[in-house]
């Protein structure tokens, strides 16, 4: 069990996620890190599934396994190619929910920690809420705090999808510690596509994006400009990747020349957030490339991608690796302490008959108490009374307040009047996307809160149990239940919402001239007057056509946004959170019931072991020769335990 715990702690993967909105070059950046064309990049809408790349240094090629939403294996591709990767993503051929990819990620040194690089669908091209929820889960993970690489498009302005996601990033960085801020890296991709003739420069672009991110509440964001496309092609050529096209090969040399000769394209200069040691490493690579005349490596460094990879490695070294070591050490400490207590207690009996006699009496009392069962029944009753209901209610209340505050902000963006159907659809569509993102965020936070409360309850059980067992064995470990997947919640549909609050009315759309007959108009001048006086039949008048202006009306559809908000959106929002709360309470009650049943089974199993332990110690106490042998062995064990504990403590002091 100890070996399994240690292996799990030290070999657990650390997840790093790359997120972005569509057409930012996210897949191109990942391919640049892989050094080959693996993820589809021609149309990022095709990467609408979750793709997790597991770093396996001993593999020369990549393989992939696709799964459906229920976790059933669909297809295995070995080796993995761009063509069959697109097949795995094609929802018409297979209902793929996620793809697990295995292979070497040469762009990042993860030799000291197992790395999983996750390509998450952007918020506007995820196939299902499950995919969006995965992204929210990564953001809300306050335990592992995975590194998030957020890819921005240097050639496009911010979108509503950016805004929704960045609001969440701001919330995390504002309430978190230093690591919560360091875990976000912003990549300003396609920075080489700026038109300096129009006054566009990398410095101005970085300043503009920093201003935008800070306006969202993200203080001092770490922004790295890059050309992922250049880096990808250079590494493809170095790796003899057959997917590098003839056209890309022809253009590559001229692009390399441009990056080397044009100082404004030296993106490595803007990697100001790297530590002094990392900057020296990057500069050393640059000088080595210059010395060797290696134009490929020189342009690669100028592309900015190596600086991003070094920033990722910094995060792994600063946070992920120390946590891995700490978790590994922690698996030993509790067991070592228990062994230490037991060995020390027995060793103290040497040449101390009075202490041996006292222990023998204690063992008899414990045996009697154990056989009588009063202590066990008291413990079971105490455990039975423990409940997580109050903690769950507290968490739900806190989440409800957060939800209401964010929901109200969204409602303020909806005008309280009637608007044309087209404008109304756009308003509600935007609201729908933001509201459903809010629901997914709240769902993710609620799931974490539920898990924490159940774990806390299990820890309370264990604490009571260890108090009960302290004088007997001093060691007990309860396997906590795995996190449950929170059920689906309601979502809003534009069509469903708008239909009930749409009405038709006539509106002025213009006007036209309509013939209304003729009228007599006097002719002007001397001749006109002469004709009127001396002629007959109205001589001196002209017949003139007369037109009148007619207003044009058209029946158009409007949406009553005030009624829609008050009669539909508000009630629906309250209903959704109410349903979520009810599901949370039901789930926690079920988990609590299962937890207590599991605890009872554990307790019943260990009672037999407790009696065996008592018999062993009672026999040891009355047999002086066996006791002396055991004491000698215990003294050796104590020396080993203390030496091992010292090594563990030294390990934790390593920076």
């Amino acid at each position: 069990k100890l070996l399994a715990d240690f292996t799990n702690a030290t070999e657990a993967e650390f997840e790093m996620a790359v997120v972005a909105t569509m057409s930012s070059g996210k897949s191109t950046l990942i391919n640049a890190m892989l050094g080959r064309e693996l993820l589809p990049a021609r149309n990022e809408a095709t990467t609408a599934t979750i793709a997790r790349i597991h770093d396996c240094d001993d593999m020369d090629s990549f393989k992939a396994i696709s799964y459906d939403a229920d976790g059933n294996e669909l297809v295995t591709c070995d080796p993995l190619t761009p063509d069959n990767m697109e097949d795995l993503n094609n929802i018409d051929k297979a209902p793929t929910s996620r793809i697990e990819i295995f292979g070497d990620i040469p762009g990042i040194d993860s030799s000291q920690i197992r790395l999983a690089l996750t390509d998450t669908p952007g918020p506007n091209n995820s196939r299902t809420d499950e995919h969006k929820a995965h992204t929210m889960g990564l953001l809300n993970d306050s335990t592992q705090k995975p590194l998030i690489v957020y890819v921005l498009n240097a050639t496009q302005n911010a979108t509503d999808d950016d805004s929704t996601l960045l609001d969440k990033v701001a919330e995390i960085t504002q309430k978190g510690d230093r690591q919560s801020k360091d875990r976000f890296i912003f990549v300003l991709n396609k920075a080489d596509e700026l038109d300096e003739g129009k006054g566009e420069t990398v410095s101005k672009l970085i300043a503009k994006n920093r201003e935008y991110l800070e306006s969202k509440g993200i203080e001092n964001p770490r922004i790295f400009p890059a050309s992922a496309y250049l880096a990808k092609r250079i590494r493809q050529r170095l790796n003899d990747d057959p997917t590098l096209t003839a056209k890309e090969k022809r253009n590559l040399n001229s692009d390399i020349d441009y990056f080397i000769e044009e100082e404004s394209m030296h993106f490595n200069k803007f990697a100001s957030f790297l530590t002094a040691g990392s900057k020296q490493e990057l500069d050393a690579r640059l000088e080595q490339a210059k010395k060797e005349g290696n134009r490929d490596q020189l342009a690669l460094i100028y592309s900015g991608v190596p600086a991003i990879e070094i920033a990722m490695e910094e995060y792994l070294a600063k946070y992920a690796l120390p946590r891995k070591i700490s978790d590994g050490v922690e698996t030993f400490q509790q067991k070592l302490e228990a062994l230490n207590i037991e060995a020390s207690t027995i060793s103290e009996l040497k040449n101390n008959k009075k202490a041996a006699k006292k222990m023998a009496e204690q063992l008899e009392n414990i045996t009697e108490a154990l056989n009588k069962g009063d202590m066990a029944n008291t413990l079971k009753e105490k455990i039975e009374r423990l409940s997580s209901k109050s903690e769950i209610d507290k968490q739900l209340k806190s989440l409800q307040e957060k939800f209401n505050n964010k929901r109200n902000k969204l409602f303020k963006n909806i005008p309280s009047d009637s608007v044309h159907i087209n404008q109304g659809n756009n308003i509600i569509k935007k609201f729908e996307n933001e509201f459903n993102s809010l629901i997914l965020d709240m769902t993710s936070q609620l799931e974490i809160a539920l898990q924490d409360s159940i774990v806390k309850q299990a820890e309370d059980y264990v604490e009571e149990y260890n108090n009960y067992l302290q004088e007997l064995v001093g060691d007990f470990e309860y396997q906590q239940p795995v996190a449950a997947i929170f059920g689906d919640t309601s979502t809003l549909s534009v069509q469903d919402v708008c239909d009930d609050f749409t009405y038709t009315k006539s509106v002025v759309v213009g006007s036209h001239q309509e013939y209304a007959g003729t009228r007599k108009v006097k002719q002007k001048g001397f001749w006109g007057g002469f004709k009127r006086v001396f002629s007959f039949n109205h001589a001196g008048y002209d017949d003139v056509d007369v037109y009148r202006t007619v207003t044009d009306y058209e029946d158009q559809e409007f949406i009553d946004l005030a009624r829609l908000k008050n009669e539909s959106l508000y009630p629906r929002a309250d209903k959704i959170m109410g349903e979520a709360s009810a599901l949370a309470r039901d789930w926690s009650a079920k988990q609590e019931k299962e937890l207590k049943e599991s605890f009872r089974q554990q307790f019943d199993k260990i009672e037999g072991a407790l009696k065996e332990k008592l018999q062993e110690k009672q026999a040891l106490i009355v047999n002086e020769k066996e006791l002396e042998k055991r004491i000698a062995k215990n003294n050796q064990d104590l020396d080993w335990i203390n030496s091992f504990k010292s090594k563990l403590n030294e390990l934790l002091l390593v920076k």
Side-chain angles (χ1 to χ4, degrees), residues 88-107:
L88 291 177
N89 267 291
N90 194 328
I91 198 168
D92 295 329
K93 296 181 180 179
T96 306
S97 176
R98 61 185 173 91
I99 302 173
E100 302 293 338
I101 303 172
F102 303 87
D104 184 26
I105 306 177

Side-chain angles (χ1 to χ4, degrees), residues 29 31 270 300 304 330 349 356 360-361 412 436 444 506 575 619:
L29 177 63
N31 286 333
F270 299 96
L300 180 62
E330 192 175 323
L349 300 179
E361 292 174 355
K412 285 182 179 179
N436 288 338
S444 173
S506 293
K575 181 181 179 183

Side-chain angles (χ1 to χ4, degrees), residues 263-310:
E263 190 173 351
S264 63
M265 293 293 104
H266 296 179
F267 297 151
N268 59 298
K269 296 188 303 181
F270 299 96
S272 59
F273 289 95
L274 294 179
T275 63
S278 293
K279 287 179 183 177
Q280 290 175 1
E281 177 189 342
L282 192 61
D283 290 342
R285 289 191 202 176
L286 187 64
E287 291 305 315
Q288 185 67 23
K290 289 180 179 179
K291 182 179 179 180
E292 296 174 354
N294 191 330
R295 296 176 67 81
D296 282 352
Q297 289 297 332
L298 201 57
L300 180 62
I301 293 171
Y302 289 151
S303 76
V305 171
I308 296 167
E309 293 167 339
I310 290 176

Side-chain angles (χ1 to χ4, degrees), residues 277-528:
S278 293
K279 287 179 183 177
Q280 290 175 1
E281 177 189 342
L282 192 61
D283 290 342
R285 289 191 202 176
L286 187 64
E287 291 305 315
Q288 185 67 23
K290 289 180 179 179
K291 182 179 179 180
E292 296 174 354
N294 191 330
R295 296 176 67 81
D296 282 352
Q297 289 297 332
L298 201 57
L300 180 62
I301 293 171
Y302 289 151
S303 76
V305 171
I308 296 167
E309 293 167 339
I310 290 176
M312 294 178 177
E313 292 171 355
E314 280 187 354
Y315 188 85
L316 290 174
K318 186 175 181 180
Y319 297 110
L321 185 58
R323 180 180 178 84
K324 167 186 170 180
I325 295 172
S326 177
D327 288 347
V329 168
E330 192 175 323
T331 60
F332 288 96
Q333 287 178 328
Q334 185 179 2
K335 290 188 177 294
L336 284 173
E337 191 61 31
L339 291 170
N340 190 26
I341 291 172
E342 185 176 6
S344 298
T345 302
I346 293 177
S347 294
E348 289 171 359
L349 300 179
K350 185 178 183 180
N351 301 323
N352 192 337
K353 292 185 178 181
K354 184 177 180 180
K357 182 179 179 181
K358 185 176 181 181
M359 175 172 276
E361 292 174 355
Q362 288 177 328
L363 292 176
E364 285 185 15
N365 293 334
I366 293 171
T367 301
E368 183 180 351
L370 188 62
N371 290 332
K372 191 175 182 181
D374 289 346
M375 288 176 61
N377 290 332
T378 299
L379 175 65
K380 288 179 180 179
E381 290 174 3
K382 193 171 184 179
I383 294 297
E384 198 63 36
R385 288 194 298 268
L386 288 175
S387 173
S388 63
K389 184 178 182 302
S390 60
E391 180 62 25
I392 292 292
D393 288 341
K394 179 181 176 182
Q395 294 281 4
L396 287 175
K397 183 179 179 181
S398 175
L399 285 173
Q400 178 81 59
E401 291 175 353
K402 290 181 181 178
F403 175 81
N404 288 341
N405 290 336
K406 292 184 177 181
R407 177 203 64 181
N408 291 339
K409 288 181 180 179
L410 294 181
F411 279 128
K412 285 182 179 179
N413 295 328
I414 301 178
S416 296
D417 54 11
S418 294
V419 298
H420 189 273
I421 185 70
N422 294 336
Q423 182 185 358
N425 275 334
N426 291 334
I427 291 172
I428 301 304
K429 181 63 176 176
K430 180 181 178 182
F431 173 83
E432 176 194 357
N433 291 334
E434 293 177 340
F435 184 81
N436 288 338
S437 295
L438 172 58
I439 287 293
L440 291 171
D441 182 21
M442 288 296 106
T443 299
S444 173
Q445 292 188 53
L446 181 56
E447 183 178 352
I448 292 172
L450 292 173
Q451 293 169 19
D452 289 346
S453 67
I454 292 298
V455 169
K456 174 64 169 60
Q457 188 175 23
E459 290 173 347
D460 290 341
Y461 293 179
V462 172
E463 183 179 1
E464 294 292 342
Y465 191 68
N466 281 335
N467 291 337
Y468 171 73
L469 299 178
Q470 188 174 359
E471 298 297 329
L472 303 175
V473 290
D475 178 29
F476 175 73
E477 187 169 16
Y478 179 77
Q479 182 63 42
Q480 297 168 354
V482 296
I485 299 176
F486 190 72
D488 292 335
T489 58
S490 303
T491 57
L492 293 174
S493 165
V494 172
Q495 195 60 46
D496 290 345
V497 170
C498 291
D499 283 350
D500 293 337
F501 299 91
T502 300
Y503 63 93
T504 302
K505 73 175 182 178
S506 293
V507 296
V508 176
V509 295
S511 63
H512 67 276
Q513 297 295 311
E514 187 176 278
Y515 181 69
T518 63
R519 64 186 177 89
K520 300 295 183 180
V521 178
K522 293 179 180 179
Q523 294 179 344
K524 297 181 179 179
F526 168 78
W527 183 248

